[in-house]
Amino acid sequence: MSITMRIDLRQRLSDWRPIWRYFGYDEPNYTYMKDGQKLLSQLAALSPETVYIRAHNLLTTGDGTPALKWGSTNAYTEKPDGSPQYDWRIVDRIFDTYLERGLKPYVQMGFMPEALSSNPRPYQHSWYPGGQNPISTGWAYPPTDFKKWGALTHAWAQHSAERYGLVEASRWVWEVWNEPNIFYWRGTPEEYQTLYDFAVDGVKRALPNAAVGGPHIAGTNTPEAQQFMRDFLTHCISGRNAATGGTGAPLDVVAFHAKGAPRLVDGHVQMGCAEQLENIDRGFALTASFPEHRHKPIVIGESDPDGCAACTAQVYPQNAYRNGALFASYTAATFARKIELADRHGVNFEGALTWAFEFEDQPYFAGFRVLSSNGIALPVLNVFRMFGQMRGERLAVENSADLGLDAILNNGVRERPDVHAQACVADGLVSVMLWQYHDDDLPAAPERVTLTVDGLPAGDKPVLFRHFRIDETHSNAHTAWLQMGSPQSPTPEQYAVLERASELTLLESPRWLRSANGLTTVEVVLPRQSVSLLQFEAVKG
């Protein structure tokens, strides 16, 4: 039985917000490497909207040699007399790479330089997927001197203003640390508030108009995490500021993280979208409970199907979703529900940051959570290419098969598939992102959708129809790689084939449609774990 969907161009909800335009990664030194530069150029080309990049380890001590979940810049050391010594060369190289492409830094002030760490030994971790070595070492501890920490953030912001201009550096978001409610921070919640006060004071003295934010907690799924965020938000309103002695602390952007929980069930991958959406639901509700904060921009600072980008599918088989179309359909489906949650809570949802980049010089399609592998885009990157073509005003979508937000929050997508759509209109161009998603990655019959758009030109004026598709055989370099025998050293000819397969692909040639009484109807067959972008462009004049 066909699913029916209807979009009425007169039912406009709000401006279409590019919540997708945020990305991040642990290893900042990949930024200026070969495949890192290629991917950043691809992210910059997604749309005219500015893309923001967030990276860990921008203040971590070291020589700039990356490892999994590790990077360094050596920005801060100390002279024998204990006075600070700043070296911004690696940080500048990272930010130059962003700015040359029109990207903006989402500046994370962390982690603790070795010379400032209150417990510096051991300093660099030796973590690897499946290993038992701890990640949380000397970089995660509070500073020996919070005033020196504040002087460091001030020097960084001042240097940025001098190198890039006061106006440019003030356009960035400056945030304090990462996930301070778990092993990324070996201090107390109160010490994090002190860290925040000094960091923000340092930035604001150099860049008074820059946006600052936090606390970037690791999810909202425990009472302890909720209390950490509640105490932080209260501190920013009425707490004693450790740096200034005044009341409260600036907070321009509220940020928290939200992850899903995939697992292996009877030999197949089962995603956990409900857990991620529940985290977002609680985070929005918690922020909205403070009148002083409820209208501030919210960024979900890491918003992903699972919690470890560097945990490969070779070691963690539940992460096998990453290489193929399942990551793409999950992304399309969950981003739509994030917007519904923001509408429900009445919060100012600015963005959801995808914690995925690339890992330099690793095996092809190794199962990292990435946007590309050895310079070859994964299907999930094509979802963002679709998002990049959507702009204007949001449109309501009537759907005979909508599972409903509450059902997905309570049960995930474990019975009927989630077949749904988002739509927007700008200057006569209607864009509809349509997907079929299911938590269980198992073969299933396709779904047939009859989509009607009400309000396009009637009579003799034609409508140009374009249909882009991501599925097992379209916009999917992983499938192409498997079909050529999974080469780990592809020939130049094979690499060119993979590059072509990685591009966003039309399912069919563009064609002209005719409207009848203002109604334009198309039939779409959606395989399991697929995403379509339908575009209806009215001829002007």
Side-chain angles (χ1 to χ4, degrees):
M1 182 175 179
S2 179
I3 296 167
T4 59
M5 295 189 190
R6 184 175 182 274
I7 297 168
D8 188 337
L9 268 60
R10 292 161 295 200
Q11 295 184 23
R12 305 194 180 195
L13 302 175
S14 62
D15 289 339
W16 175 268
R17 304 189 73 172
I19 62 166
W20 53 267
R21 59 187 177 129
Y22 297 81
F23 302 91
Y25 45 103
D26 292 76
E27 303 83 3
N29 307 102
Y30 290 153
T31 299
Y32 45 78
M33 295 183 178
K34 174 176 61 69
D35 292 333
Q37 291 191 54
K38 180 178 180 179
L39 178 55
L40 289 168
S41 295
Q42 291 172 323
L43 295 180
L46 291 175
S47 88
E49 298 287 350
T50 300
V51 170
Y52 287 84
I53 308 294
R54 176 179 186 257
H56 293 341
N57 291 300
L58 292 176
L59 294 177
T60 304
T61 301
D63 63 3
T65 301
L68 296 182
K69 298 185 72 67
W70 179 263
S72 59
T73 66
N74 226 42
Y76 180 94
T77 55
E78 289 185 353
K79 299 175 183 177
D81 64 0
S83 59
Q85 186 164 279
Y86 304 117
D87 184 347
W88 305 113
R89 285 176 294 179
I90 295 179
V91 172
D92 289 346
R93 190 176 181 188
I94 293 166
F95 284 10
D96 287 353
T97 305
Y98 297 156
L99 294 164
E100 286 164 1
R101 289 159 175 77
L103 306 164
K104 300 292 184 194
Y106 198 103
V107 187
Q108 184 186 125
M109 291 180 276
F111 295 118
M112 194 58 62
E114 187 173 13
L116 269 182
S117 173
S118 57
N119 188 15
R121 297 288 189 276
Y123 187 72
Q124 180 172 347
H125 66 70
S126 55
W127 179 90
Y128 60 92
Q132 300 300 313
N133 297 336
I135 292 177
S136 182
T137 50
W139 58 266
Y141 282 83
T144 55
D145 186 328
F146 281 99
K147 290 183 178 179
K148 283 187 175 182
W149 165 256
L152 167 59
T153 63
H154 175 73
W156 190 5
Q158 186 65 44
H159 168 78
S160 299
E162 292 168 357
R163 182 176 179 85
Y164 303 109
L166 181 66
V167 173
E168 174 60 40
S170 297
R171 291 191 177 117
W172 310 343
V173 179
W174 295 73
E175 58 164 18
V176 183
W177 217 257
N178 175 71
E179 299 186 343
N181 61 315
I182 60 170
F183 57 79
Y184 278 92
W185 176 245
R186 298 300 292 270
T188 65
E190 293 75 22
E191 286 174 316
Y192 172 75
Q193 293 168 14
T194 300
L195 186 86
Y196 183 89
D197 290 347
F198 277 95
V200 166
D201 177 65
V203 170
K204 288 286 192 180
R205 283 189 287 115
L207 302 169
N209 296 321
V212 295
H216 283 276
I217 60 168
T220 61
N221 58 339
T222 67
E224 293 78 13
Q226 296 163 29
Q227 192 62 50
F228 190 105
M229 188 166 175
R230 191 175 291 110
D231 290 346
F232 171 79
L233 294 176
T234 300
H235 171 78
C236 290
I237 297 167
S238 58
R240 181 184 179 277
N241 189 300
T244 67
T247 300
L251 178 64
D252 303 308
V253 179
V254 179
F256 60 89
H257 297 176
K259 307 283 188 173
R263 58 181 185 151
L264 210 61
V265 177
D266 297 330
H268 74 272
V269 175
Q270 183 183 80
M271 304 299 285
C273 69
E275 180 160 338
Q276 185 184 10
L277 294 172
E278 287 168 0
N279 271 277
I280 295 169
D281 189 31
R282 285 188 293 264
F284 285 166
L286 216 166
T287 305
S289 70
F290 288 82
E292 299 88 345
H293 297 311
R294 70 170 298 134
H295 297 299
K296 290 179 178 177
I298 295 175
V299 173
I300 308 171
E302 294 181 22
S303 187
D304 304 294
D306 70 274
C308 178
C311 295
T312 70
Q314 296 171 336
V315 180
Y316 302 93
Q318 69 270 25
N319 290 339
Y321 75 88
R322 296 166 165 181
N323 284 327
L326 177 51
F327 194 2
S329 64
Y330 180 102
T331 300
T334 55
F335 267 66
R337 303 302 179 177
K338 294 169 196 178
I339 294 171
E340 288 186 53
L341 285 168
D343 289 345
R344 173 175 290 186
H345 291 285
V347 294
N348 183 6
F349 182 25
E350 179 67 24
L353 189 147
T354 298
W355 197 257
F357 190 55
E358 65 97 16
F359 288 85
E360 204 83 16
D361 297 324
Q362 294 289 341
Y364 278 76
F365 301 100
F368 292 104
R369 185 173 359 101
V370 292
L371 301 172
S372 71
S373 174
N374 287 278
I376 303 297
L378 270 64
V380 68
L381 183 57
N382 284 313
V383 172
F384 295 105
R385 288 171 170 155
M386 289 180 173
F387 278 135
Q389 297 190 48
M390 301 180 73
R391 59 185 60 88
E393 295 178 274
R394 287 171 59 206
L395 298 168
V397 177
E398 298 177 13
N399 178 7
S400 66
D402 184 9
L403 299 180
L405 178 58
D406 289 321
I408 295 176
L409 280 172
N410 294 331
N411 305 310
V413 183
R414 301 291 169 85
E415 296 182 3
R416 289 192 295 124
D418 180 24
V419 183
H420 200 29
Q422 290 191 90
C424 60
V425 59
D427 299 325
L429 175 65
V430 178
S431 298
V432 182
M433 182 180 284
L434 179 66
W435 61 86
Q436 190 202 153
Y437 165 75
H438 200 286
D439 278 345
D440 289 288
D441 194 26
L442 292 169
E447 296 286 344
R448 297 183 178 275
V449 177
T450 301
L451 173 69
T452 299
V453 180
D454 186 350
L456 287 168
D460 294 332
K461 293 181 180 179
V463 174
L464 181 62
F465 175 68
R466 291 182 291 268
H467 185 173
F468 298 91
R469 165 64 63 78
I470 305 166
D471 60 24
E472 189 67 20
T473 57
H474 297 86
S475 312
N476 193 327
H478 182 242
T479 296
W481 180 72
L482 293 174
Q483 290 173 343
M484 63 176 59
S486 307
Q488 283 301 331
S489 298
T491 66
E493 293 77 16
Q494 288 176 318
Y495 192 89
V497 170
L498 293 175
E499 282 196 304
R500 288 194 296 272
S502 74
E503 297 171 357
L504 181 60
T505 304
L506 284 164
L507 181 66
E508 58 179 292
S509 297
R511 55 190 170 97
W512 294 101
L513 303 176
R514 293 287 180 180
S515 299
N517 299 318
L519 302 178
T520 306
T521 300
V522 294
E523 304 285 338
V524 179
V525 178
L526 278 175
R528 180 65 57 92
Q529 318 302 12
S530 67
V531 187
S532 284
L533 176 66
L534 313 180
Q535 292 185 322
F536 304 82
E537 187 170 7
V539 175
K540 296 180 180 179

